[in-house]
Amino acid sequence: MKRHGILINRNSSVPLHRQLESSLRNAILSGSLPAGERIVSSRELQTHLGLSRNTILDALAQLHAEGYLVTTRGVGTFVAPHVHGLPAHEKSRPETPIVPSTSADRYASMHGLAANLQGDAPFRPGLPALDLFPSAQLKRAFDASGWTPAVLDYPNAFGYEPLRAAIARRLQQTRGIVCSVDQILITGGAQAAFSLVARVMLDANDVAVIEDPGYSSVRAILLARGAKILAAPVDEAGIDVSSFRKRRAKLAYVTPSHQYPTGAVLSLDRRLALLDWAAKNDGWIIEDDYDSEFNYTGRPQPALQGLGDGRRVIYVGTFSKVLSPALRIAYLVIPQSLRSSFEAVHQITHGPPSTIVQSALARFMDDGHLSRHIAKMRRIYDQRRCCVSAELEKVAGSVFRVRDSRAGLHFIAELPRNVRDADFSRRAARQGIIVPALSSYFHGESTLNGIVVGYAATSIPDARRAVAAMVDAL
C-alpha cells in the first residue's frame, strides 16, 4: 500500500481518526488505492503513523461501514472491488463549465444593487430603527401566544388565521382596504410575495409595466419570470399612466403612497386613470404599500385598493419597515377571483412562514403594541428626517437639493450635473455611508442625478457626523 498519501496533522482540531478516514477515502477515490488492493495491517499503520491502535481501528471501521473496504478472514483487508477511482483521462479532462438557468442569470444581474444595501452604515435606505425594536413587548407576546397544536401543526396555506384577522382589521381601519380575512395571504417577506404574484399572474412574454425609476428587485423577479418590461416614467405626481394607457399589459407594479425611490405620491387623477386602464385592458395592479405607516403631514391617502373595491388590485404590505426585516413576514390582499390560484401555487412553492412567529405577532397586534410602536416611531423618524434635511441644507445646500415628500423612511437629494451620482455613491461608501445612486434604479436611461438617503435607522448624532463625511466625499 502507498502510504505517502496519508496526511496526519496533530495540530488540527479535526480528530485523528477522522483525518485517517479522509486520507484513505481520498486515496481510494483518486485511484491511488485501486479496487482490490490490500490495506496493510492496523499494527503496521500504527507503527508507521504513530497513532494509537484504537484510532486506526475506528477509522477502518468507518470505511468498512461506508463500503470502501472489505475483509477476508485470515487473509486481510482490501479496497472493495466495486469501488473505482476516476479514470486518468477523466481526472485530466477540463471541468465542464456550470451553466445556470436563464432566470438565474436575470436574478444575478440585479444582485449587485441589493448587495450594496447591506451592512450597518448611516443613511442606508429601507431600514427601520433596529435599535428601537420593541423586543420586550414581542418577547411577552411569544410567551403569551401559547404553544397549542394549532400553532405547532403544519401551517395553513394562507397563514395563521388570528394574524390574518388582525391584519385585515388594521388595513380596514388605517388604509381603507376593502377585504375579508380569507383574502389575506401571509408570505415569508415582500420578495416572496412579489415572486408569488409573478408565478400566478405571468406567463413568458407577458408584458409587465414598472415604474422608472423603480424597485430593482421587482424588476428582476418579473424578468426572471420571462416578462417583457414596459418602463413608465415617474414625475412629481407618480407614474405617468398616459405613457401606457393604450397598451395591453398583464399587470402594472406601482408604489402609489410613496414612490420608490423618488418619494412621489400618486395623484388622484392618475389613481383613477390606472384603475380605468386595468378595467379596460383586463390588467392587474400590484400595489406595493411598503412604508405608508409613516406620513408626516397628517393622514395619508387611502390605499389604491380601496378606490376600486379591490377587484383589479393585488395589495402587498410588510412588517419589515414597521418592525424588522428579520421577521420575514409580509402579506397579500388577493381579489376573491384569484384566491384558489394563489393558494395552490403558494402551497407548492413557498408556503407561509413560521406559525410560531405569526402567532406571537398576532398577539402583539391584538394587545395594541404595533399601533403604539408605529406612533412612537413616526415621531422619531420625523425628527430624524428634519435633522438630516436641515444638516444637508446647512452644510452643503449648494450641492445637495433635497426633495422631501415628508413621508416614508427616505428622501432623495439631487446632485449638480458635474457630480455623477454613481461616483459620489462609491466615494461615500468608502467613508462608510450607504447612499445609493438614483441612476441605479432606472430601467432605461437615467433622468435624475442624485442619491437616496435613508434617515430612519440613523440617530441624530450619527446623522450629523455622516453629513460631514458626505461633504468630505465630494
Side-chain angles (χ1 to χ4, degrees), residues 316-338:
V316 183
T318 177
F319 289 95
S320 294
K321 304 298 186 290
V322 296
L323 287 173
S324 164
L327 290 173
R328 307 311 302 143
I329 291 186
Y331 48 90
L332 293 162
V333 180
I334 302 166
Q336 288 284 8
S337 59
L338 298 174

Side-chain angles (χ1 to χ4, degrees), residues 395-418:
V395 176
S398 60
V399 179
F400 297 105
R401 177 175 172 261
V402 173
R403 284 176 47 175
D404 184 4
S405 58
R406 300 174 68 186
L409 307 179
H410 75 275
F411 56 66
I412 65 172
E414 293 187 54
L415 291 165
R417 291 183 179 275
N418 63 331

Side-chain angles (χ1 to χ4, degrees), residues 14 41 50 62 73 89 107 126 146 155 175 192 233 240 263 279 384 439 456:
V14 178
S41 70
Q62 180 61 34
R73 186 180 295 274
H89 72 278
Y107 283 116
R175 301 299 295 127
D240 183 3
R384 294 180 175 184
S439 57

Side-chain angles (χ1 to χ4, degrees), residues 196-203 206 225 250-251 284 286 314 338 342:
L196 177 60
V197 172
R199 285 176 179 272
V200 174
M201 303 304 298
L202 290 175
D203 291 316
D206 281 343
R225 189 62 185 157
K250 193 66 174 291
L251 58 82
W284 296 88
I286 308 175
I314 302 168
L338 298 174
F342 270 87

Side-chain angles (χ1 to χ4, degrees), residues 64-109:
H64 270 94
E66 293 177 12
Y68 289 99
L69 302 178
V70 294
T71 296
T72 302
R73 186 180 295 274
V75 179
T77 299
F78 302 85
V79 177
H82 63 275
V83 178
H84 298 279
L86 287 173
H89 72 278
E90 288 288 339
K91 290 185 286 185
S92 61
R93 193 173 69 180
E95 184 176 327
T96 303
I98 298 174
V99 181
S101 68
T102 303
S103 62
D105 284 342
R106 291 171 183 146
Y107 283 116
S109 68

Side-chain angles (χ1 to χ4, degrees), residues 15 37 287 291 300 329 333 343 468:
E37 175 138 338
E287 179 178 11
D291 66 1
I329 291 186
V333 180
E343 182 177 18

